[in-house]
Amino acid sequence: QILKNASAKVLRLGMMPADGIGREVLPCAQRVLQNTPGAPKFEFVHLDAGFEHFQKTGSALPEETVKALKNDCHGAMFGSVSSPSHKVDGYSSPIVKLRKELDLYANIRPVVGVRGTKDDEKFVDSVIIRENTECLYIKSETSESGPDGQVARAIRQITEKASTRIGKKAFEVALARQELRRTTQPNYTPTVTICHKSNVLSVTDGLFRTSVRGVYEKDAKDNGGAGRYEGIKLNEQLVDSMVYRLFREPEVFDVVVAPNLYGDIVSDAAAALVGSLGLVPSVNAGDNFFMGEPVHGSAPDIAGQGKANPIASIRSAALMLEYMGYTDPALKIYTAVDAVIREGKYLTPDLGGSATTTECEEAILKKITA
Ligand code: GGG
C-alpha cells in the first residue's frame, strides 16, 4: 500500500481541520504540501468533523466523512478537537472514533530537538509509539449510586492482538531509525523501551508488557537468536519513573512504546523538552492508511487570534508523506522547518516570538521553494 500510494498520480487527502486552532493550522499544512517540490499532486477533500460540527448538526463525525476517507482518500490530515471536560449527551470524540474506524492502531509521535539551538544542551531525539485503539479509550464507563454515593467505573481493555501489533510497529520504527542513522551515527544502538505500570496493574499492563516482549523473544527464537530485531536493545520503564527520567536524562529514550493513555501523557510531557506542544507532530498509522495530526489540541484560549504555531501541523503533513513513501519531499519540509526554528526570526508566541501563524508558515514556504 505504501508503494501504491507512492506511485499514485494524484494523492487524495481527506482534510479535517475540526475545531479551534485546527482551522488555522491545517490550511498552512495544506499550502506547504501543495508547494513542496517533489511532492505528488494533491486533491484535497474537505470533510466535516468536530465538536463545533456536533453543536450545529448533532454529529461529530458524519457518516459521509468516514465513507469518504475509507472509499475515496489515500490519506488524511486532522487538526484538533475541542472535546468538553463534562459529559455531553450524544457527543463522542471524533478523533478517538476515527482512529478505531480506520484501524489506525499506531500513533507515532516523534519528539526531536533542532540542532544548532538551545536544544543542543540536552538533545532529545525520541519517538513515542502510542497504541491507538484500546486501553481506557474503549470508553466503557458506568455510573451508579451506592452506599458511598455515586460510583463511576471505567473498563480498561488491553488485548494480546493490539499489544503485539504495536510492539511490532515499535521494533520496525527502531530499525528504520537505525537505517537513517547508518552513516551519521554508525555506533547508534536502537532501543525500544516498554512503558507500563505492571507493578500495580499486573493483569492489564502485564499483558501489554509480555506481548511486546513476546514479539522480540519470538523473533529471536524463530531465528536461532539472529532475528530481525537482534540489534535492538529492549528496555522497560514504569510510566511514573519514565516521566521523571524524561526530564532528567531524555537522551536515554529512543523508541518508547506505550498503551494509549500513557502514550498520550508521556508524549505531551516530552513536548515540553523541545520547547512547545506547538512543534510536535504525529501520524496515525494503520497498515494501509496514514493520517497526520498535530499532537496539540484546539487551544480555545488562542483560537481565532492568528498566533497558533503551524509547525506541528506542517511536520505532521511531512510525517504522513514519509509514511506513505514520499521521503524526499518529507525531508525538504523537515529541513525547512528546522531552518526557520534555528534562525528564530519567525517564531510564534509559544516559542517566545511574535510572528503570526501566517508569517511562520510563509517563512517555511520560502525556505522550501528557495
Ligand atoms: N490533535 C490532537 C487533539 O485534537 N487532541 C484533543 C483530544 O481530545 N485528543 C484525544 C486524544 O488524543 O487523547
Side-chain angles (χ1 to χ4, degrees), residues 78-81 83 93 95-96 99 109 130 137 264 293-297:
F78 190 92
S80 51
V81 60
S83 295
S93 166
I95 183 64
V96 173
R99 291 167 182 158
R109 300 182 155 192
R130 170 187 178 189
Y137 283 73
D264 188 30
E293 180 197 359
V295 167
H296 64 70

Side-chain angles (χ1 to χ4, degrees), residues 282-337:
S282 87
V283 63
N284 297 277
D287 288 327
N288 303 309
F289 198 90
F290 302 93
M291 180 171 76
E293 180 197 359
V295 167
H296 64 70
S298 61
D301 54 329
I302 57 160
Q305 297 174 32
K307 58 185 188 190
N309 191 338
I311 289 179
S313 276
I314 291 170
R315 281 179 165 167
S316 299
L319 200 56
M320 178 204 64
L321 276 186
E322 183 187 335
Y323 272 81
M324 286 178 159
Y326 298 97
T327 45
D328 288 350
L331 191 61
K332 282 198 179 94
I333 299 174
Y334 294 138
T335 306
V337 168

